Amino acid sequence: AQTVTQSQPEMSVQEAETVTLSCTYDTSESDYYLFWYKQPPSRQMILVIRQEAYKQQNATENRFSVNFQKAAKSFSLKISDSQLGDAAMYFCAYRATSGTYKYIFGTGTRLKVLA
Amino acid sequence: GAVVSQHPSRVICKSGTSVKIECRSLDFQATTMFWYRQFPKQSLMLMATSNEGSKATYEQGVEKDKFLINHASLTLSTLTVTSAHPEDSSFYICSARGDRASSPLHFGNGTRLTVT
């Protein structure tokens, strides 16, 4: 069975600085999707970034980028120029490319942004 | 962008009663809907996967007779918590996706259920 692990329950970053959130996963599949979701206090789940496993190039979305290491099964999220609005819970998620397409979420990392 | 509407956002009910939560996809056909439960400061726990017109597939440990899921159309899925007890108090989130492998997952805003 697939698993997703986030080893950092909480992280802090100074405003305008850079922070990296860690995520590892386990799967026997060769093709899959990986995601980072943000959940602010409103509890609305917001997609931050997505990576397809067959693509070697790391995905980027403005200030957000990932470091995808397929062999190591690692998928970290880098947030550059951190803003106060980035404060939230961040969840890493895995999804297969076939079957029910269900998402497996990690336990989350709470990010605090210090002014 | 695609929107998933979840209703109600908050509900308080008495122990022993049933509560229905609706999840609607507003501008796309949701072939598959997922229901999650989230305890405070914890991750999303998948409860069940529902496909339009067929029975839901429940995750291990989730009581299908307590959490009734109906996915009667391509735009509506409902979760009914039957004979609710205080331990069912939680945050429930639905999500929906289209039928393509690349279809993204869209989340509802969640429902906070409090059973007194």
Side-chain angles (χ1 to χ4, degrees):
Chain A
Q2 295 86 5
T3 58
V4 178
T5 302
Q6 293 178 249
S7 59
Q8 306 155 314
E10 190 172 295
M11 293 283 285
S12 295
V13 62
Q14 204 71 34
E15 196 175 6
E17 297 295 309
T18 296
V19 65
T20 298
L21 309 184
S22 301
C23 173
T24 59
Y25 59 94
D26 189 26
T27 182
S28 58
E29 303 292 327
S30 60
D31 196 17
Y32 45 86
Y33 292 93
L34 296 167
F35 306 84
W36 278 98
Y37 279 89
K38 169 185 177 181
Q39 188 181 43
S42 67
R43 312 278 309 252
Q44 173 68 50
M45 294 289 285
I46 301 167
L47 176 63
V48 175
I49 200 164
R50 148 184 162 153
Q51 174 80 42
E52 295 165 72
Y54 68 87
K55 290 186 177 179
Q56 293 185 339
Q57 187 172 7
N58 289 323
T60 61
E61 285 289 339
N62 301 313
R63 298 183 295 108
F64 299 87
S65 62
V66 299
N67 184 4
F68 174 47
Q69 301 291 325
K70 191 172 184 179
K73 296 181 181 175
S74 170
F75 182 61
S76 60
L77 173 70
K78 186 172 81 171
I79 305 174
S80 304
D81 185 25
S82 297
Q83 300 175 359
L84 296 177
D86 295 334
M89 282 290 289
Y90 285 81
F91 292 100
C92 178
Y94 165 99
R95 200 210 85 187
T97 57
S98 62
T100 62
Y101 303 126
K102 65 182 181 182
Y103 285 54
I104 308 298
F105 287 88
T107 51
T109 297
R110 180 170 299 281
L111 178 66
K112 294 184 176 181
V113 180
L114 309 174
Chain B
V3 177
V4 172
S5 174
Q6 186 172 344
H7 180 80
S9 57
R10 290 176 179 268
V11 58
I12 301 173
C13 71
K14 292 187 176 181
S15 187
T17 62
S18 296
V19 174
K20 179 182 285 188
I21 302 170
E22 289 189 351
C23 182
R24 293 181 183 272
S25 59
L26 298 185
D27 56 0
F28 69 101
Q29 292 187 328
T31 308
T32 306
M33 288 188 172
F34 303 95
W35 287 93
Y36 291 88
R37 182 173 180 175
Q38 187 178 30
F39 291 103
K41 298 184 179 181
Q42 293 190 24
S43 187
L44 281 70
M45 182 192 78
L46 180 64
M47 299 174 66
T49 302
S50 74
N51 292 293
E52 184 265 338
S54 61
K55 290 184 178 181
T57 301
Y58 290 81
E59 295 298 303
Q60 191 173 8
V62 178
E63 299 175 60
K64 62 181 180 181
D65 294 330
K66 165 167 272 298
F67 299 101
L68 300 179
I69 292 172
N70 184 284
H71 193 163
S73 75
L74 284 171
T75 59
L76 174 65
S77 177
T78 60
L79 166 66
T80 301
V81 183
T82 63
S83 187
H85 291 283
E87 56 265 31
D88 298 325
S89 298
S90 191
F91 191 70
Y92 294 87
I93 307 175
C94 76
S95 61
R97 62 182 306 279
D99 58 1
R100 295 183 179 180
S102 59
S103 295
L105 190 65
H106 303 283
F107 287 86
N109 286 341
T111 297
R112 177 169 298 287
L113 170 64
T114 303
V115 185
T116 61

